[in-house]
Structures are given as C-alpha cells and as structure tokens.
Amino acid sequence: MQNHKSAVQRNQALAKKSGEFLIGGDLRVTRLGFGAMRITGDGIWGEPAGRAEAVRVLRRAVELGINFIDTADSYGPGVSEEIIAEALHPYPNGLVIATKGGYVRLGPNQWVENGKPEHLRSACEGSLRRLRLDRIDLYQLHRIDPKVPAEDQLGTLRDLQAQGKIKYIGLSEVSVRQIQHARTIVPIVSVQNRYSVTDRGSEDVLEYCEKEKMGFIPWFPLAAGRVSSSESPISRIAARWKASPSQLALAWLLARSPVILPIPGTSRVEHLEENVAAAELKVDVNKWQELDRMARAS
Ligand SMILES: NC(=O)c1ccc[n+]([C@@H]2O[C@H](COP(=O)([O-])OP(=O)(O)OC[C@H]3O[C@@H](n4cnc5c(N)ncnc54)[C@H](OP(=O)(O)O)[C@@H]3O)[C@@H](O)[C@H]2O)c1
C-alpha cells in the first residue's frame, strides 16, 4: 500500500471500496470524500499557490470514484467554490457538493461567526451562484452563532429549504444537546465535527449520529498532515502494515463507524492518490484495537 500508485492504476474507481452512505436516506455517496478547504491560499485566504494543480486534484478525485466534496463559502472566501465549479461543472450525475455558511472572513486565519438571517440568506445565494447550482444538496451551518438565537439561524435554513435552495441541512462543531435542540426546529442529516484517530473529543456526538443514522463528517481527519508525519504516533504501526500513516488514519475512521464520512483535504494529486488508496486497506479488529490503544496512549 505504501506504493499506492499500483492500487490507483489497478482500480480507477478506488474510492468506491470505502463503501457507501445515504445522506438523508437518499443521497448516495462514497464514504471517502474530499475536503476542498486546502485548495486556497495560506490561512485559507485567497488563491492557492497552484490553481492548475487544484483543478487537477478535483478532477482526479472524481475520476477515482469520489462523489462527495465538502467546501464552504468562507474558504478563500469564495475561492474553493469557484475552483470546484471551474474544475467539475457541468457536474457528473450523482456528485454531491456540501457547502457551509455562517462565517465571515476578515483576513488570513480570521473567522468571525455570523448567523444573522440576512447573512445566511445572502451566503446561500452566493454559494449557489459560485457553484452554478439551482439547489445545494447539503448546506451546513458552519457554526451556531452564540450572538443570534439558534431558532433564527436554523429557521432561516428551514426557509431556504422550503424555497428549494437547499435539499438537506447539516451542522458543524456541535454538542449532542445542540443537535437535539436543532432537530426540534428542522431535520438535520449530518454533523461535521473535528475527529481523528488521535483526536477523540467528539466520541459522544459520533455515537449519537450512529444511533440516529446521521452522517458524521470528521474534519481534520489527518490533523492537517501531522498524522502523516514520521513523528506521528501511528507511523510505526503504519510501517509494519505497509501503509502510510495517512492511509492508516483514514482506514481507522472508515472502520470506526459506518456513518463516518472522512473528507481528507489536500492541494496535491500525489497526496490525494495516497489517501484514496486507504479505501482498500482493511483494518481488522486486532489491528484496529492496537491502533486505538497506541493513539490513546500518545
Ligand atoms: N467544519 C469545520 O469547521 C471545518 C474545519 C476545518 C476543515 N473542515 C473540512 O475538513 C476538511 C479536512 O480538514 P483539514 O484540511 O483541516 O485537515 P486534514 O484533511 O486532516 O489535513 C489536510 C492537510 O494535510 C496534508 N495532507 C493531506 N494528505 C496528506 C498526505 N497523504 N501526506 C502528507 N500530508 C497530507 C495537506 O497538505 P497538502 O496540501 O500538502 O497535501 C493539508 O495541509 C477540509 O478540507 C474542510 O472541507 C471543516
């Protein structure tokens, strides 16, 4: 597996080996998706260093069988969504693009929540325009803005859904209590929280999603590359299993729960291919437990 090139060449639709999940009960996606935050400039601001490579990454992701892409209006801002449309529009049948609203950007690495209804409405319109879509399959509230009543934020998304601009609604960085409250206002199909083999703070949220058959989309699945480094706590096991640490981290997520939809991000085709090859890596119970123990002890 460390030489993932042969796996990628052997099987053009390799991502499909990660299995499928039905978002909202009817949007069929390959479980291993792609996160499009890293196809922007430093600090998730402005143009990426290599726009042509970013376009290649997206096209290669689809070629390899990925049909679930995560983005947000705030990545760039606008840049990630524009590059997705440039690379992939007109979209192949079955491609699910999930985007988010609820942040405004003031500069590199600066993120300010804005859950005011007028902001969410115009954010959704902007995403529809940049992505060249009539309807967004999965629209996620990037954060519940503590300055605005949750009822107003989720009520706005419910209105956008009723107008046909959004198919399904998801949440991001929330507690179980927040999900339960949100579900009294509008149906929620997915939750996107930070989670990885070395970062297990959202275990209760994952368990809730599993029980309720909601998609759990772990962001930071590779701890932004730290899991992939030779100092990573899982690198020794990975070497023994002839996988790269990134592949092992993704295979661990896929084995952890059938509702997990990992969205590793990269700006490089080489890393994309390495990551997608994780779909073929089977983590049996013994391996899984060993990895689990090592990650918890680190
Ligand atoms: N909901 C939220 O609040 C939230 C927050 C953050 C992110 N997200 C979403 O989650 C997605 C993933 O999160 P993330 O990008 O922060 O973290 P990540 O996927 O854990 O890590 C991405 C980073 O890891 C590096 N990388 C990827 N594959 C690699 C490999 N095989 N070997 C070595 N390095 C590798 C990438 O660098 P290269 O470009 O050099 O490959 C990139 O800098 C984002 O794209 C976004 O869609 C959501």
Side-chain angles (χ1 to χ4, degrees):
M1 280 295 277
Q2 247 157 1
N3 182 6
H4 53 271
K5 299 238 183 290
S6 59
V8 164
Q9 275 158 9
R10 254 197 338 271
N11 191 340
Q12 280 297 306
L14 194 55
K16 292 194 191 306
K17 297 207 168 191
S18 64
E20 288 184 338
F21 182 78
L22 293 176
I23 295 177
D26 69 350
L27 284 179
R28 190 175 292 277
V29 294
T30 49
R31 290 183 55 213
L32 189 58
F34 176 74
M37 185 178 86
R38 304 278 168 181
I39 56 164
T40 60
D42 280 349
I44 321 301
W45 185 258
E47 285 288 316
R51 190 171 173 116
E53 179 72 355
V55 167
R56 270 195 296 276
V57 166
L58 288 160
R59 291 184 179 155
R60 188 73 182 123
V62 171
E63 251 173 39
L64 289 171
I66 286 178
N67 73 343
F68 179 52
I69 295 178
D70 180 76
T71 183
D73 64 340
S74 49
Y75 299 164
V79 175
S80 171
E81 291 180 333
E82 280 163 11
I83 297 179
I84 290 170
E86 176 187 328
L88 300 175
H89 191 274
Y91 300 118
N93 278 345
L95 180 70
V96 173
I97 300 173
T99 192
K100 316 180 198 77
Y103 265 132
V104 286
R105 302 294 308 280
L106 305 177
N109 292 318
Q110 292 181 51
W111 306 78
V112 179
E113 289 144 355
N114 187 342
K116 289 187 184 146
E118 59 274 24
H119 172 74
L120 293 177
R121 279 192 291 272
S122 79
C124 179
E125 291 297 340
S127 291
L128 284 165
R129 195 180 58 250
R130 282 184 295 273
L131 288 168
R132 302 182 219 164
L133 287 169
D134 298 326
R135 186 187 66 177
I136 291 162
D137 279 335
L138 176 61
Y139 196 76
Q140 303 157 100
L141 185 58
H142 214 149
R143 290 290 183 275
I144 298 177
D145 183 349
K147 303 182 296 303
V148 178
E151 287 76 5
D152 293 358
Q153 301 174 66
L154 291 154
T156 304
L157 300 194
R158 186 185 53 211
D159 294 346
L160 291 165
Q161 190 173 45
Q163 291 160 20
K165 296 183 178 186
I166 293 175
K167 182 169 169 72
Y168 288 124
I169 297 169
L171 299 173
S172 169
E173 275 311 298
V174 281
S175 65
V176 170
R177 192 182 285 256
Q178 285 174 312
I179 306 169
Q180 286 169 328
H181 179 238
R183 293 179 84 194
T184 64
I185 303 164
V186 71
I188 301 294
V189 301
S190 67
V191 173
Q192 185 168 143
N193 274 18
R194 204 181 69 196
Y195 185 79
S196 70
V197 63
T198 56
D199 179 356
R200 313 283 278 281
S202 281
E203 209 72 61
D204 59 336
V205 174
L206 168 61
E207 279 160 21
Y208 178 83
C209 288
E210 192 170 295
K211 186 162 66 70
E212 298 295 317
K213 298 190 174 39
M214 294 161 65
F216 180 88
I217 306 167
W219 63 266
F220 225 42
L222 305 173
R226 281 196 295 285
V227 159
S228 320
S229 80
S230 53
E231 283 89 55
S232 142
I234 65 172
S235 67
R236 248 183 319 129
I237 306 190
R240 197 148 34 88
W241 293 348
K242 299 198 174 10
S244 75
S246 314
Q247 288 166 341
L248 200 52
L250 294 170
W252 182 89
L253 282 169
L254 291 168
R256 169 68 185 84
S257 164
V259 303
I260 286 192
L261 311 174
I263 47 164
T266 178
S267 55
R268 298 162 57 179
V269 169
E270 196 189 337
H271 283 166
L272 171 80
E273 292 183 343
E274 178 187 330
N275 297 345
V276 172
E280 251 195 352
L281 186 65
K282 291 289 166 259
V283 180
D284 65 29
V285 172
N286 291 338
K287 278 182 183 169
W288 192 87
Q289 284 172 345
E290 187 187 359
L291 186 54
D292 198 48
R293 274 196 303 277
M294 181 158 289
R296 279 182 193 274
S298 67

